[in-house]
Coordinates of all heavy atoms in Angstrom, one line a residue:
Chain B
A54 N -107.4 11.8 -156.7 CA -108.7 12.4 -156.4 C -109.2 13.2 -157.7 O -110.4 13.1 -158.1 CB -108.6 13.4 -155.2
A55 N -108.3 14.0 -158.2 CA -108.6 14.8 -159.4 C -109.0 13.8 -160.6 O -109.9 14.1 -161.3 CB -107.5 15.7 -159.8
F56 N -108.2 12.8 -160.7 CA -108.5 11.8 -161.8 C -110.0 11.3 -161.7 O -110.7 11.2 -162.7 CB -107.6 10.6 -161.8 CG -107.9 9.6 -162.9 CD1 -107.5 9.8 -164.2 CD2 -108.6 8.5 -162.5 CE1 -107.9 8.9 -165.2 CE2 -109.0 7.5 -163.5 CZ -108.6 7.7 -164.8
K57 N -110.4 10.9 -160.5 CA -111.7 10.4 -160.3 C -112.8 11.5 -160.7 O -113.8 11.1 -161.4 CB -112.0 10.0 -158.8 CG -111.5 8.6 -158.6 CD -111.8 8.2 -157.1 CE -110.9 7.0 -156.8 NZ -110.8 6.8 -155.3
A58 N -112.5 12.7 -160.3 CA -113.5 13.8 -160.6 C -113.6 14.0 -162.1 O -114.7 14.2 -162.7 CB -113.1 15.1 -160.0
I59 N -112.5 13.9 -162.8 CA -112.5 14.1 -164.3 C -113.1 12.9 -165.0 O -114.0 13.0 -165.8 CB -111.0 14.2 -164.8 CG1 -110.4 15.5 -164.2 CG2 -110.9 14.2 -166.3 CD1 -108.9 15.6 -164.4
D60 N -112.7 11.7 -164.5 CA -113.2 10.5 -165.2 C -114.7 10.2 -165.0 O -115.3 9.6 -165.8 CB -112.3 9.3 -164.6 CG -112.5 8.1 -165.5 OD1 -112.2 8.2 -166.8 OD2 -112.8 7.0 -165.0
N61 N -115.2 10.7 -163.8 CA -116.6 10.4 -163.5 C -117.6 11.4 -164.2 O -118.8 11.3 -164.2 CB -116.9 10.5 -162.0 CG -116.3 9.3 -161.3 OD1 -116.1 8.3 -161.9 ND2 -116.1 9.5 -160.0
D62 N -117.0 12.4 -164.9 CA -117.9 13.5 -165.5 C -117.7 13.4 -167.0 O -116.7 13.7 -167.5 CB -117.4 14.8 -164.9 CG -118.3 16.0 -165.4 OD1 -119.0 15.8 -166.4 OD2 -118.3 17.0 -164.7
P63 N -118.8 13.1 -167.7 CA -118.8 13.0 -169.1 C -118.4 14.3 -169.8 O -118.2 14.3 -171.0 CB -120.2 12.5 -169.5 CG -121.0 12.8 -168.4 CD -120.2 12.8 -167.1
A64 N -118.4 15.4 -169.1 CA -118.0 16.7 -169.7 C -116.5 16.7 -170.0 O -116.0 17.6 -170.7 CB -118.3 17.9 -168.8
H65 N -115.7 15.8 -169.4 CA -114.3 15.8 -169.5 C -113.8 14.5 -170.2 O -114.3 13.4 -169.9 CB -113.6 15.9 -168.1 CG -114.0 17.0 -167.3 ND1 -113.6 18.3 -167.6 CD2 -114.9 17.2 -166.3 CE1 -114.1 19.2 -166.7 NE2 -114.9 18.5 -165.9
L66 N -112.8 14.7 -171.0 CA -112.0 13.6 -171.5 C -110.6 13.8 -171.2 O -110.0 14.8 -171.7 CB -112.2 13.5 -173.1 CG -113.4 13.0 -173.7 CD1 -113.4 13.1 -175.2 CD2 -113.6 11.5 -173.3
L67 N -110.0 12.9 -170.4 CA -108.5 13.0 -170.2 C -107.9 12.0 -171.1 O -108.2 10.8 -171.1 CB -108.2 12.6 -168.7 CG -106.7 12.7 -168.4 CD1 -106.2 14.1 -168.4 CD2 -106.5 12.1 -167.0
I68 N -107.1 12.5 -172.0 CA -106.5 11.7 -173.1 C -105.1 11.4 -172.9 O -104.3 12.2 -172.4 CB -106.7 12.4 -174.4 CG1 -108.2 12.8 -174.7 CG2 -106.2 11.7 -175.6 CD1 -109.1 11.6 -174.9
V69 N -104.6 10.2 -173.3 CA -103.2 9.9 -173.4 C -102.8 9.5 -174.8 O -103.6 8.9 -175.5 CB -102.7 8.8 -172.4 CG1 -102.7 9.3 -171.0 CG2 -103.6 7.5 -172.5

Side-chain angles (χ1 to χ4, degrees):
Chain B
F56 176 81
K57 275 185 197 159
I59 295 168
D60 196 52
N61 286 338
D62 186 339
H65 303 285
L66 283 174
L67 181 67
I68 302 291
V69 286

